[in-house]
Every structure is written in C-alpha cells, then in structure tokens.
C-alpha cells in the first residue's frame, strides 16, 4: 500500500526532493522550518524561528506567509571562523566525529536547531575545529531546497 513519492534520476531526487520524506529517505539532510516573508521572482525570502534569514528557490504555489520546510544537505554547508565575515547562520560546535574520509560536525544554532556539517578530509586530516568553538555556517541560496510539506 505504498505510494510513489518522486520519480527521477538519482541526482534530481537527491538535489531536489519534493518533500521531507524523500529528502530524509535519500540521504542525510538538515531540515529548517521557516516562514516565507517575501517573494522576488522565483526566490523566497524565508525567516527561521530564531530570526535568521535564508533565501531559497520558491516551491510551486508558495506565497508570503506560508510555513515551509527547507532542506540543506550537510556537504553543502561550509564551516568558517566568525572572523571570516557574515555567515548565513552561526553556532557552537557540539560534536565533531572523524570518519576518515570526512568529519561530521554537529553545530548548535539555537535551542531548536542543530545543523550537521560534513567536511572532507582531503587535505591532510581533521580540521582545527573543537567542541565549543563558535563558527559561521555558509551555504549558497542554490543549496537550499524548499519542499511542498
């Protein structure tokens, strides 16, 4: 009694999931609950509960005032020291997990939001980010997927 959620090439399903179920099923992701505060063409200016502003490609039928789910894949997020300039979000590193090929960082943004960040270890070992460090989280608007549910 299952239902087909999305049909497409693997990269399309991974990069542009149509809903939370598909995004979660096909890989790890960060879900951000937001409210659309304004529209400009195909872009939606969204605000998270903590007040952070994020721009995303608007889902079909989206309009100002809508509550939406945003998805950002862990490998699309970049960690940087706060001194490196304005970040989309800021947080404190709660847990780094070294996995050989990459390191996963859990970064607490606020009480209701923790982000998973995946950083490749291609250039010589783990990064110099420690538990408790304040970091900026950077990602391009094109990395944010707004979903129908």
């Amino acid at each position: 009694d299952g239902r087909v959620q999305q049909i497409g090439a693997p990269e399309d399903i991974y990069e542009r999931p149509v809903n939370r179920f598909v995004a979660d099923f096909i890989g790890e992701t960060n879900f951000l609950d937001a409210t659309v505060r304004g529209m400009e063409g195909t872009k939606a200016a969204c605000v998270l509960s903590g007040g952070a502003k994020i721009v995303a490609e608007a889902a079909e039928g989206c309009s100002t005032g809508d509550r939406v789910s945003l998805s950002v894949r862990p490998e699309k997020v970049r960690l940087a020291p706060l001194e490196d300039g304005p970040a989309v979000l800021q947080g404190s590193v709660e847990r780094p997990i070294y996995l050989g090929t990459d390191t996963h960082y859990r970064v607490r943004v606020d009480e209701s939001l923790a982000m998973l960040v995946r950083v490749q270890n291609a250039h010589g070992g783990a990064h110099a980010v420690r538990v408790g460090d304040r970091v900026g989280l950077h990602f391009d608007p094109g990395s944010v997927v707004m979903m129908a549910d």
Side-chain angles (χ1 to χ4, degrees):
D1 290 336
R3 240 178 48 210
V4 174
Q5 297 289 313
Q6 185 172 353
I7 297 173
E11 61 270 15
D12 292 334
I13 292 170
Y14 183 81
E15 298 292 342
R16 289 176 293 287
V18 295
N19 59 37
R20 284 177 79 109
F21 176 82
V22 172
D24 194 39
F25 182 80
I26 200 69
E28 292 177 308
T29 195
N30 294 292
F31 290 114
L32 309 169
D33 295 322
T35 302
V36 177
R37 291 293 183 220
M39 303 287 295
E40 187 171 316
T42 63
K43 302 288 185 204
C46 302
V47 177
L48 305 182
S49 61
K53 296 175 177 83
I54 295 179
V55 175
E57 189 72 28
E60 190 174 322
C62 170
S63 61
T64 300
D66 286 354
R67 298 276 305 145
V68 296
S69 292
L70 305 176
S71 170
V72 182
R73 298 289 184 184
E75 70 275 6
K76 307 282 185 178
V77 183
R78 295 179 310 280
L79 285 178
L82 292 178
E83 304 82 47
D84 283 5
V88 177
L89 298 170
Q90 295 181 9
S92 296
V93 175
E94 284 186 333
R95 183 181 68 211
I97 302 172
Y98 180 80
L99 297 171
T101 58
D102 50 56
T103 300
H104 292 191
Y105 295 94
R106 181 179 165 101
V107 178
R108 175 64 56 186
V109 175
D110 61 35
E111 285 184 25
S112 64
L113 178 60
M115 297 278 290
L116 178 63
V117 181
R118 184 178 303 135
V119 179
Q120 260 194 338
N121 294 325
H123 301 290
H127 302 270
V129 179
R130 307 272 183 251
V131 171
D133 286 356
R134 294 281 300 160
V135 294
L137 302 175
H138 301 263
F139 45 89
D140 301 321
S143 300
V144 181
V145 177
M146 182 183 292
M147 294 167 295
D149 59 346

